[in-house]
């Protein structure tokens, strides 16, 4: 920690937003589901950036209360009218087919068709995103206006899809640090063409893993790219013992829009990652939303199930389900932007910086203040109304560095950004005013 | 708990409001005080509904710092002018005579009369309610306008009353449950014609006792009908040891008006009854007032005295002393209504339901979520914005049922009605997803 | 405590404000700094009222991280223009010379002069207060308008001052009580002609010490009059062991203006002195500001350094740095007033009264309420809406006097002034309803 850039600083090079956006755009068109070629194609794309370990888990494998499902692949899908005109077509948008639809090829009446069509009457121009993983069914999704425009005639419906034994795919990348203690970073990869949910998260973590490969860290960082729910469950079932190493974790999704930022705490509520994100977001310049844990959301549901209760929170920009674009065709590449992705990335990098650099120090001159003026550390001219602010960080670090308070404790109590407190502690160490008690300790709180 | 109606549900049959109101109306005319025929008549009326055990404690009996007072009975009382016209008359309202007035029969001047008359100048048409239990005195109460209309002449005042040795009367009814642990329900019976304070409370508890006689319960329920203060003190003095069985308790008064609801916490502040009422009232649809304990009020003053410190709170609609009708002739049968009584009754029945049905369970599939879809417990179609709400109760019960959190803990944390959480737990038990840890346990909080 | 006036009451005789103001006015003209004749003259003035012990600590003495500086004395100082007209002069205001300026006597250009002049452009008519204790420099302070009016010519600047070995002076007065436990009262004496900061504090503590000399107390009271920062550090260095006796403490500064009152908590945050001041100020009738500890301020910075962490808070009227007069020539005798000083004095006397009289009692009649009416302690006529308020203090003391809650605990929970709770406890003791458990105990909180 002698003046060199910190881990968090080294993770941010150039404008990460452009790189993350470009990769999200590359992933966007792929037709993904919880299993099948789309997921594999996505994992291959990630592997072109990171040394990803891809796992295939056969259909039928029991994972806790669940069973790995059959593999779903769709080749073609359309609805045609009597004159053969295509109403919708898989090529137009992979949202048109309800994910995991069973194969079908028939002529049916408009009335019957309507029983197999999902629309959003209150958002009549958008295609909804629908899935039916665990109930055998088939359906199309389309704009409500389009459905209403259909004449009362017969239609040819085709879904050329396989539902057959295969395997579930997920990818892992472990960045080894000095310690075996792990920081888990997890993104779901099962949604088709939804840019924010979750091409944004997959691309952000891919960029982070790529950068991290060049940085020495204290913690080990485990990146998990898996289908939502069943993927996380499968991974937990196959790593039941080793997850005990996870000391901090974040589920990353919907990080490309301009909302939030939002952090949902882990089930524990007072895990260090909860304090780090709550503090970091409070000082990010935007109006953050800090939510208590609730059992609805993304894969934190599995990580925070009572049998695991891992210290894993959820990081997002807008809160899922709270925006009109959520799970619709409006969640496209125009809904996300490089600047938003860059800020999301920076906030996560700062959280990592706290994890890497928090520690407990002791003020060497514990009795009364040290004479900062003599060391040129303090405004030499007293009495000026301004000096107070300029020196608060230094005074706080000296006052609370009693071997019990960590830098994060101090940043919280002083209501100052962690980065300022960390830099201040560095200056004080360089002047011999702080001694190291315990790097990476939890502190009094 | 296999699908049958719960204790709380079985306590509510038809419209309890009508029955409670009818009995309150029957009690209203009786001229009560802390001792005497009025109290006995009231206890007899209750006994016609419940198998009440009536106790008589002789005048002069020492009860802690107090002594059971002489018995007061009034036969007639009036003020007449020189022409023999009656100004006020006991038959007109038993509020006209200050309770425990010593006998008097004299001709006095208006000036002297005024020294023995209470009015409410700011509510000139109402008769105030006054007592003088512990200072020998006599007085009349009347509307201020009436007093001001009196000519400056001499008046005949008569209070034909006895203050003589007798006994203090109170009644108890114990509903035996599986356990000897008791839930105390207490109402004061010393006020004369005041409908809300407390014919309403006496009638509500009588109805509750009547219903409860037909229900099997885990807890035993002790109903106490006693004069305020001295009655509660006398009962406590004679049951000093057995009150240790009281695990929950409510003082019930002023439950017939449309205000509140109001709950005043026990001195402990965090007793389970305090949590149950605070939670229940928050979800009753009205704007409840939850008050911290204070040593002024009804008989919770005695139950919560430091030597007992029982977990007994006060349930009311409007808060005592906070409404203009309080302790005036405006607290009459028009001030209370069946619907208000019915809601008050339901809220108490729900509190009993929590006491009877709270418990700690364990999620059998603790690692990751169980597959609710397969069991038809979960919206089979994912991705719909609505499903979140619909399934929250189930997800909360599964997530927090770790052998430490009780259903009440879960209801509080999830901010959902206890009844919904309880029903959800029942469904999950029926599907083998929850195992019983400890029924009636207090939980983590 | 048998009905005689309490310590706090005996400390307030006549109108203390006049006496304190008169002494502040006497101290105001003296040209003080952290060392030198001005400090000694100030200590002599205090000693004319109190049996003060004055200490002299030689230049060069090491005190923790600091060294006692050379002694600074200024005889004359001026700026003259080419025609010999004086622009500023020490006699005009001792703020004109930056404290600890090194000697100088030269002719310089306006441009060079400006590099040695401090002004307040946003308060152009005021002289700022500046010091340079630890950087060798010289400067003048003047109104901004005056500086702007200066012609572009050469000026004669003279600062006839010594910076030479000598000693640092501070004064102590110890009022011995029954116990060796101490209450520290500390005021800085280093500021020149600033009336509120801190002639007001010095004069208030002098008056308090004078009064206290005539009162028997349980605690011992140590009054410290020392230069800011270096004086407190020097005193702490020479009393490192004995400061362990300090159980409560207040730094007193800026107590003569009409703002606040303000209390800044000790570093501990929950020290008894913190609770006492927070409670007392909440009931003083003004809108107080209660601040959490922060390491910027007055000598609480030293007392609350991690190596000492003493229970010492800061009492002020307006908060330092928050008012335009702060550290300017507007902090003069017109800025402070006897009434403000009197209220500040009373609030400190009340805090001392809590320290002296807080204690834990036990309600002798713990089971149920005692019969207050029989003892004439309670409104004999029940049912009146008013009696509640009138009796709350008595009911609270009886209800919470369980051998665990102190009178301060009770005053806080009942939200009543400590003095009312104390007087009520006295009455109850006189009637044999309270027994003494532990005088001076901390209570449950």
């Amino acid at each position: 920690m002698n003046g060199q850039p910190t881990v968090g600083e080294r993770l941010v090079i150039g404008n990460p937003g452009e790189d993350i956006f470009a990769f999200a755009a590359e992933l966007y068109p792929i037709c993904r589901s919880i299993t099948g070629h789309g997921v594999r194609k996505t994992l291959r794309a990630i592997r072109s950036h990171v040394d990803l370990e891809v796992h295939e888990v056969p259909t039928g494998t029991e994972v806790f209360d669940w069973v790995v499902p059959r593999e779903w692949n769709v080749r073609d899908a359309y609805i045609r009218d009597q004159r053969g005109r295509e109403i919708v077509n898989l090529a137009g948008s992979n949202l048109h087919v309800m994910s995991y639809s069973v194969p079908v090829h028939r002529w049916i009446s408009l009335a019957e068709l309507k029983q197999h069509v999902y629309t959003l009457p209150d958002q009549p121009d958008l295609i909804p995103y629908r899935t039916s993983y665990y109930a055998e069914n088939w359906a199309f999704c389309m704009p409500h206006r389009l459905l209403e425009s259909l004449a009362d005639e017969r239609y040819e419906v085709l879904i050329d899809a396989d539902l057959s034994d295969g395997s579930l795919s997920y990818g892992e990348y472990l960045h080894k640090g000095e310690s075996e203690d792990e920081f888990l970073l997890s993104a779901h990869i099962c949604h088709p063409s939804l840019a924010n949910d979750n091409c944004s998260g997959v691309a952000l973590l891919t960029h982070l893993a790529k950068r991290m490969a060049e940085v020495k860290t204290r913690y080990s960082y485990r990146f998990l790219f898996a289908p939502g729910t069943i993927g996380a469950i499968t991974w937990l079932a196959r790593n039941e013992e080793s997850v005990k190493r996870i000391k901090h974790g974040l589920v990353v999704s919907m990080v490309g829009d301009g909302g939030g930022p939002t952090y949902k705490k882990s089930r524990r509520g007072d895990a260090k990652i909860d304090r780090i994100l709550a503090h970091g977001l409070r000082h990010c310049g935007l109006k953050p939303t800090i939510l208590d844990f609730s059992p609805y959301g993304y894969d934190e549901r599995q990580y925070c199930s009572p049998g695991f209760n891992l210290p894993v929170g959820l990081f997002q920009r807008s809160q899922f389900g709270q925006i009109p674009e959520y799970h619709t065709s409006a969640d496209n590449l125009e809904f996300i932007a490089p600047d938003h992705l860059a800020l999301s990335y920076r906030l996560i990098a700062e959280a990592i910086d706290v994890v890497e650099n928090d520690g407990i120090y002791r003020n060497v001159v514990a009795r009364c203040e040290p004479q900062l003026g003599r060391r040129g550390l303090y405004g030499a001219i007293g009495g000026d109304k301004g000096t107070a602010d300029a020196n608060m960080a230094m005074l706080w670090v000296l006052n609370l560095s009693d071997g019990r308070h960590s830098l994060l404790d101090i940043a919280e109590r002083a209501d100052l950004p962690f980065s300022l407190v960390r830099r201040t502690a560095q200056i004080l160490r360089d002047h011999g005013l702080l001694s190291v008690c315990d790097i990476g300790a939890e502190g009094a709180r």
Side-chain angles (χ1 to χ4, degrees), chain A residues 149-164:
Chain A
S149 71
L150 295 185
D152 186 2
E153 53 172 278
R154 296 185 68 75
Y155 293 89
E156 179 189 10
V157 294
L158 170 89
I159 297 180
D160 177 10
D162 286 342
L163 252 177
S164 52

Side-chain angles (χ1 to χ4, degrees), chain A residues 36-47:
Chain A
H37 304 326
V39 177
R40 289 193 191 88
K41 193 169 171 190
T42 301
L43 292 171
R44 272 199 304 278
I46 299 169
R47 197 162 49 193

